[in-house]
């Protein structure tokens, strides 16, 4: 059973989920694709210091693809033309470099597929049974493909993704735009809704959007970092929020952290 001190999500008007790292372990695929692409790029351009895993969390995680590219290159004092989303992956522009990474990601996803986190599926089942509307709010342009691959697409009437964000010129997380737009599309008030995120920029986005409850999922970012970013509550897995029997009976719930008032 879930800890009695944890919030009852059915008391809120809606729950809006980030995708990568919250519903599916695609964050690992993204991390691998970014690392592969940037290590090759840094070697070809003699860029120092080398790419590290920390770069993913500091510059890429949760952001729109091209904004992430620009942020990481800027951290190495490298500036290239922005280009256009239609740029060939071989183009040495922000968009071309972003498209280069996406080729790697898509190749891995199609070859290996993706399986949703069991705890996340259990929570979706519970929310659906309670009649609580849900949406996906993702910076990824691959959100639709990932949801279909994981067998989750039919669960959501609203998918606010990177394609819509680019079309409507919405600012990347940590700006509140995408979460606020997701709530608008779902027809709910952020002040009566829940946002669930695993990225620092995503938590900051939801907090800035005025969501009543911001839940951080610690898949490696760090509990302290998520709380500092604005999470009211941090869990290791969404199974901890399921009120029925947990799909992960051996999960250690002692690490659940609540943000001080």
């Amino acid at each position: 059973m879930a800890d009695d001190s944890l919030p009852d999500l059915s008391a809120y008007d809606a729950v809006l989920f980030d995708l990568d790292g919250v519903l599916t372990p695609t964050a690992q695929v993204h991390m691998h694709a970014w690392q592969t692409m940037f290590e090759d790029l840094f070697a070809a351009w003699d860029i120092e210091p080398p790419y590290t895993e920390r770069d993913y969390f500091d510059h890429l995680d949760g952001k729109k693809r091209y904004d992430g590219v620009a942020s990481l290159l800027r951290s190495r004092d490298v500036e290239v033309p922005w280009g256009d989303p239609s740029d060939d992956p071989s183009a040495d522009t922000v968009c071309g470099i972003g498209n280069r990474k996406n080729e790697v990601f898509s190749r891995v996803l199609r070859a290996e597929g993706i399986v949703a986190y069991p705890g996340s599926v259990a929570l979706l089942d519970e929310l659906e049974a309670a009649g609580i509307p849900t949406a996906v709010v993702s910076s990824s342009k691959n959100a639709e493909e990932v949801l279909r691959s994981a067998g989750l697409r039919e669960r959501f009437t609203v998918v606010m993704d990177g394609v819509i964000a680019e079309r409507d010129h919405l600012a990347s997380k940590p700006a509140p735009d995408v979460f606020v737009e997701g709530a608008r599309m779902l027809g709910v008030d952020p002040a009566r809704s829940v946002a669930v995120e695993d990225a620092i920029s995503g938590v900051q986005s939801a907090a800035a959007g005025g969501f009543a409850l911001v839940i951080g999922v610690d898949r490696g970012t760090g509990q302290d970092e998520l709380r500092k970013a604005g999470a009211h509550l941090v869990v290791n897995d969404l199974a901890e929020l399921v009120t029925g029997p947990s799909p992960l009976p051996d999960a250690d719930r002692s690490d659940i952290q609540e943000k001080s008032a």
Side-chain angles (χ1 to χ4, degrees):
M1 300 288 287
D3 190 323
D4 290 341
S5 68
L6 292 173
D8 177 7
L9 300 191
S10 67
Y12 295 85
D13 287 356
V15 182
L16 286 73
F17 295 89
D18 177 46
L19 176 58
D20 300 328
V22 172
L23 297 176
T24 60
T26 32
Q28 295 300 318
V29 184
H30 282 293
M31 289 177 71
H32 175 69
W34 281 121
Q35 180 177 355
T36 299
M37 190 276 297
F38 271 118
E39 284 181 347
D40 289 347
L41 183 72
F42 281 19
W45 291 7
D46 295 323
I47 295 175
E48 294 289 345
Y51 179 89
T52 69
E53 185 176 286
R54 192 69 241 170
D55 284 318
Y56 175 79
F57 294 110
D58 289 346
H59 301 290
L60 303 167
D61 193 18
K63 293 182 180 179
K64 290 191 290 186
R65 188 189 312 158
Y66 304 139
D67 289 343
V69 170
S71 176
L72 181 50
L73 291 179
R74 199 173 298 120
S75 76
R76 302 305 199 273
D77 295 322
V78 175
E79 296 283 345
V80 298
W82 187 270
D84 184 84
S86 64
D87 283 355
D88 188 86
S90 64
D92 290 332
T93 62
V94 167
C95 293
I97 293 167
N99 294 343
R100 202 175 307 172
K101 171 263 175 182
N102 198 53
E103 281 194 333
V104 179
F105 175 85
S106 295
R107 185 166 62 247
V108 173
L109 181 65
R110 288 164 189 163
E112 301 179 5
I114 199 74
V115 177
Y117 290 111
S120 302
V121 173
L123 181 58
L124 289 173
D125 289 341
E126 189 164 278
L127 293 171
E128 183 177 352
I132 304 301
T134 57
V136 167
V137 177
S138 172
S139 298
S140 175
K141 290 184 176 180
N142 299 301
E144 292 277 358
E145 182 179 8
V146 170
L147 287 167
R148 287 193 299 271
S149 181
L152 296 178
R153 182 60 186 90
E154 298 305 315
R155 290 177 176 263
F156 300 99
T157 56
V158 167
V159 176
M160 168 61 236
D161 65 2
V163 175
I164 295 173
E166 182 174 290
R167 182 195 70 195
D168 295 347
H169 306 291
L170 301 176
S172 273
K173 303 170 184 178
D177 303 39
V178 290
F179 264 109
V180 171
E181 177 62 11
R184 187 200 66 76
M185 292 169 66
L186 198 57
V188 297
D189 182 355
R192 295 181 54 83
S193 302
V194 180
V196 187
E197 262 283 358
D198 71 313
I200 291 172
S201 61
V203 168
Q204 292 171 330
S205 173
F211 279 76
L213 177 64
V214 180
I215 299 173
V217 185
D218 183 14
R219 307 285 192 193
T221 301
Q223 295 184 3
D224 290 343
E225 287 78 5
L226 291 168
R227 287 196 298 273
K228 289 175 184 175
H232 303 105
L233 172 74
V234 178
V235 298
N236 294 319
D237 191 276
L238 294 184
E240 296 166 12
L241 299 170
V242 177
T243 58
S246 170
L248 302 174
D250 297 326
D252 179 8
R253 291 172 180 74
S254 64
D255 290 332
I256 295 171
Q257 302 288 333
E258 288 199 57
K259 186 179 177 183
S260 301

